[in-house]
Amino acid sequence: MPETLLKQRLAEELPPIGAALARATERLPEPVRPVARHILEAGGKRLRPFLTVLMARLLGDAGERIYDLAVTMEMLHAATLLHDDVLDDAASRRGKAAAHTSFGVTQAILAGDALLSGANAQVADFGDPRLCRCFSTATSETAAGEILEIAAQRRVDVSAEEYAAIVRGKTAALIAAACELGALAANAAPDAVRAAADYGENLGMAFQIVDDALDFAPAEETGKPTGGDVREGKLTPPLRFYRLNLAENERAAFDAAFVCGLMSAADAAEISLRVREGGFDRRAREEAQDYLEAARKALMRLPDGPERPVLMEMTDYVRDRRH
Amino acid sequence: MPETLLKQRLAEELPPIGAALARATERLPEPVRPVARHILEAGGKRLRPFLTVLMARLLGDAGERIYDLAVTMEMLHAATLLHDDVLDDAASRRGKAAAHTSFGVTQAILAGDALLSGANAQVADFGDPRLCRCFSTATSETAAGEILEIAAQRRVDVSAEEYAAIVRGKTAALIAAACELGALAANAAPDAVRAAADYGENLGMAFQIVDDALDFAPAEETGKPTGGDVREGKLTPPLRFYRLNLAENERAAFDAAFVCGLMSAADAAEISLRVREGGFDRRAREEAQDYLEAARKALMRLPDGPERPVLMEMTDYVRDRRH
């Protein structure tokens, strides 16, 4: 059972992470608490706070306060999801109705702002400028990544490099910061802080690449509509490979529909099938391997301790996940 | 000429404030810079950064770096305006087209997020946890104030206390923080930091109350549509006084139109006329006097210096402004 250690430790950490999230929600302005609860309780893997806690423990932090720091990363992630939902006009998020369709655009924007500023205040309460800088850099990079992604929407000429810059911002920066915050809270040496951030950044890159590959999986496997990225005009790696493999006349038709935002659900399903048949999703997953290998190498620069094998298993989890 | 000192000093400070804003804009992700420039160059009084600079100078900071701190307050203010524009669906802002109507909702939300996180990062760069805490508290309070305001919209039972809590959050918190940041940057003693924040908070309360009174002034005087708050369902003090003064059957008609959001531009113009004739806007301005008196008292707890009379004149400016 390759995930035994990971599952066991996650089961131990989820209750205190959940309690810290509940405390943080109580500190938000009363009118947005239902929206915040909706998005925070929609599930999610708590990957980010879990990483903060693991890194802090591995590097010698034994206190309970780490949970209040760790959940700021989940709050920031939730704020991003709320604003993204409005931007993407996404019909559903994590299987539940998107917050802005249940609560309205206004509430989704305001709750996102409240979560972001509440997380910021919660980090500032630690009184450590390194934590503030780490948090605010992650926030800026995440915003920049989303901006680049929107600017790249419905463009068929998004390069591999451009895609990597988007992913680095919108996903990897926050996961790197989650790891770095844990290391900083443990007062780790600069080398260890750097290694923790490197692990997180590479893990985050792989996480998003796999996520993009999973977008083409059948809905019955993932619980999400197939080919959502096709319809939203996101040229992720599997789609880029697929497009390059098309005959010239097919490519022209694809480009026209993609650029004009005319892809139907049926188009998306058919393209997804052809992506899977062509192995383009598998090929993208293979690219994730390089990042995971780099994450493992970064991990070996950190001290050995009970959390290191858990963090190691995390790279297998990211590689193998099916939903 | 009562405003001579104020105008003179503002003329001196505007160029370095503008230069710092231009530097900050250059640091934002490229795709949102046009939106950020649009909102930042729409004018505005630069009241917040000006206050930061004045407080810092009064309390002994002589460095040039203060401008990079000061403009974070204008960036935060601009972020708020961008998101508010989307929320209010405002047709125009500061006389120019609202950013989200020229650039789209997506760009307005993203540019707001980028300005907020960019400002946060710029404060964190100072490496002083007191600055981070002051900034993040102001951000949280501003978000909370906006949330309370939206929750109070189209309600006819908004009390004076509830209104004060809204204003304290949405306007005064940020102006207080602008003053406090200046004092903190100058390494002022805790008493002086407190006095600077008190001055800013009271000035901010008065500023918003006067702003709400000006909403009923003729459009040809202010350059803004008359009675915008009536149409947006905001029961500001002049409107509260007006409503309480109505005969019972008139009040029922007012309430029905206000609660259901059915006020036309003609309704708003007529109500504004009656607000002015009844002196309800003047009565609200009188309430601002108490706050301005408190601001002046706070100012007298600060050392005498060339900036103190400027800050004193600022209270007259807030009291007397006509647009």
Side-chain angles (χ1 to χ4, degrees):
Chain A
M1 294 294 100
E3 283 184 32
T4 303
L5 266 179
L6 179 65
K7 278 184 181 158
Q8 192 181 321
R9 185 63 181 259
L10 184 60
E12 285 168 29
E13 301 294 359
L14 277 180
I17 287 173
L21 274 175
R23 284 196 296 277
T25 308
E26 282 306 304
R27 266 181 239 119
L28 297 176
E30 195 278 329
V32 293
R33 278 182 221 154
V35 192
R37 277 195 204 102
H38 175 93
I39 187 81
L40 288 170
E41 290 173 5
K45 301 164 192 76
R46 310 296 187 224
L47 171 67
R48 294 155 190 83
F50 186 42
L51 286 171
T52 306
V53 173
L54 289 175
M55 277 298 175
R57 297 304 187 225
L58 177 61
L59 291 160
D61 179 289
E64 286 305 298
R65 235 191 135 192
I66 192 68
Y67 294 103
D68 289 322
L69 183 65
V71 293
T72 62
M73 293 289 103
E74 191 74 13
M75 294 164 78
L76 181 48
H77 179 53
T80 307
L81 293 182
L82 281 168
H83 285 189
D84 275 358
D85 271 338
V86 177
L87 301 179
D88 289 350
D89 202 27
S92 73
R93 167 70 62 192
R94 288 174 176 171
K96 287 175 99 175
H100 81 279
T101 59
S102 328
F103 294 96
V105 169
T106 299
Q107 291 301 312
I109 294 178
L110 288 174
D113 289 349
L115 278 164
L116 176 57
S117 53
N120 189 3
Q122 197 152 317
V123 172
D125 274 345
F126 280 75
D128 181 340
R130 298 171 310 162
L131 298 179
C132 289
R133 199 175 285 137
C134 178
F135 179 89
S136 67
T137 303
T139 318
S140 294
E141 288 177 352
T142 303
E146 283 161 26
I147 289 160
L148 289 179
E149 181 171 46
I150 300 261
Q153 229 170 353
R154 295 189 186 166
R155 276 179 42 217
V156 290
D157 61 343
V158 178
S159 66
E161 293 67 32
E162 203 172 340
Y163 170 79
I166 290 169
V167 171
R168 205 171 296 280
K170 79 164 189 165
T171 306
L174 187 46
I175 294 179
C179 295
E180 189 174 342
L181 281 184
L184 288 169
N187 274 312
D191 275 359
V193 173
R194 193 61 246 157
D198 284 350
Y199 167 83
E201 174 159 330
N202 285 293
L203 189 77
M205 293 297 292
F207 185 87
Q208 186 61 51
I209 291 171
V210 170
D211 215 60
D212 291 340
L214 283 171
D215 194 67
F216 297 95
E220 54 274 23
E221 283 178 25
T222 62
K224 290 177 191 166
T226 306
D229 288 342
V230 178
R231 300 192 69 191
E232 286 177 25
K234 295 180 182 170
L235 196 81
T236 58
L239 200 56
R240 195 174 66 246
F241 300 145
Y242 164 78
R243 179 181 170 274
L244 290 175
N245 207 52
L246 289 172
E248 208 165 312
N249 60 336
E250 279 185 315
R251 195 184 302 160
F254 172 89
D255 287 0
F258 189 80
V259 168
C260 302
L262 294 175
M263 293 287 185
S264 66
D267 294 335
E270 197 200 312
I271 290 174
S272 296
L273 182 64
R274 291 176 64 186
V275 163
R276 294 199 301 275
E277 286 173 351
F280 303 121
D281 55 341
R282 216 164 39 242
R283 197 163 130 199
R285 274 178 179 267
E286 280 161 22
E287 295 206 346
Q289 298 281 18
D290 295 341
Y291 287 109
L292 290 174
E293 194 45 43
R296 287 184 206 105
K297 276 193 186 148
L299 200 52
M300 298 317 288
R301 282 149 54 202
L302 289 169
D304 197 6
E307 289 79 15
R308 206 170 69 174
V310 180
L311 290 161
M312 196 59 88
E313 270 191 28
M314 185 79 89
T315 64
D316 297 334
Y317 159 74
V318 166
R319 181 194 60 205
D320 297 333
R321 76 194 174 94
R322 294 280 155 207
H323 52 81
Chain B
M1 293 295 100
E3 283 183 33
T4 304
L5 267 180
L6 179 66
K7 279 185 181 155
Q8 193 181 321
R9 185 64 182 259
L10 184 61
E12 286 168 30
E13 302 294 357
L14 276 181
I17 287 173
L21 273 175
R23 283 195 296 277
T25 307
E26 283 304 304
R27 266 181 239 118
L28 296 176
E30 195 279 326
V32 294
R33 278 182 220 154
V35 192
R37 276 194 205 104
H38 175 95
I39 187 82
L40 288 171
E41 289 171 6
K45 300 162 193 79
R46 309 293 187 228
L47 172 67
R48 294 157 190 82
F50 187 42
L51 286 170
T52 306
V53 173
L54 289 175
M55 278 298 174
R57 298 300 187 229
L58 178 60
L59 291 160
D61 178 290
E64 285 306 298
R65 235 193 136 190
I66 192 68
Y67 295 103
D68 288 322
L69 184 65
V71 294
T72 62
M73 295 286 103
E74 192 74 12
M75 294 164 80
L76 182 48
H77 179 54
T80 307
L81 294 182
L82 280 169
H83 285 189
D84 275 0
D85 272 338
V86 178
L87 300 180
D88 290 350
D89 202 25
S92 73
R93 166 73 61 191
R94 287 174 176 170
K96 286 176 103 175
H100 80 279
T101 59
S102 327
F103 294 95
V105 169
T106 298
Q107 290 301 312
I109 294 179
L110 288 174
D113 288 351
L115 278 165
L116 176 57
S117 53
N120 189 2
Q122 198 154 317
V123 172
D125 274 345
F126 280 74
D128 181 339
R130 298 170 311 161
L131 298 178
C132 289
R133 200 175 283 137
C134 177
F135 179 88
S136 67
T137 303
T139 317
S140 293
E141 288 177 354
T142 303
E146 282 161 27
I147 287 161
L148 289 178
E149 182 171 46
I150 300 260
Q153 228 170 355
R154 296 190 187 165
R155 277 180 39 217
V156 290
D157 62 343
V158 178
S159 67
E161 292 70 30
E162 203 172 342
Y163 170 80
I166 290 169
V167 172
R168 203 172 297 279
K170 79 164 189 165
T171 306
L174 188 45
I175 294 179
C179 295
E180 190 174 341
L181 281 184
L184 288 170
N187 274 313
D191 275 0
V193 173
R194 191 62 246 156
D198 284 351
Y199 167 83
E201 173 159 329
N202 284 293
L203 188 78
M205 294 297 292
F207 185 87
Q208 186 61 52
I209 290 171
V210 170
D211 214 60
D212 292 339
L214 283 171
D215 193 66
F216 297 95
E220 54 273 26
E221 284 179 24
T222 61
K224 290 177 193 168
T226 307
D229 289 342
V230 178
R231 301 193 70 191
E232 286 178 25
K234 295 180 182 170
L235 196 80
T236 58
L239 200 56
R240 196 174 65 244
F241 300 145
Y242 164 78
R243 178 181 171 274
L244 290 173
N245 207 52
L246 289 173
E248 208 166 312
N249 61 335
E250 280 186 314
R251 194 184 302 160
F254 172 89
D255 287 1
F258 190 79
V259 168
C260 301
L262 296 174
M263 293 286 187
S264 67
D267 294 334
E270 197 201 314
I271 290 174
S272 296
L273 183 63
R274 291 176 65 186
V275 163
R276 294 199 302 274
E277 286 174 352
F280 302 121
D281 55 340
R282 217 164 40 242
R283 198 162 130 200
R285 273 179 179 269
E286 279 161 21
E287 295 204 348
Q289 298 281 17
D290 295 341
Y291 286 109
L292 290 173
E293 193 46 42
R296 288 185 205 104
K297 277 192 184 148
L299 201 51
M300 297 317 287
R301 284 149 52 202
L302 289 169
D304 198 5
E307 290 79 14
R308 206 168 70 172
V310 181
L311 290 161
M312 195 60 88
E313 270 192 28
M314 184 79 87
T315 65
D316 297 335
Y317 160 75
V318 166
R319 181 192 61 206
D320 298 332
R321 76 194 176 94
R322 295 279 155 208
H323 52 82

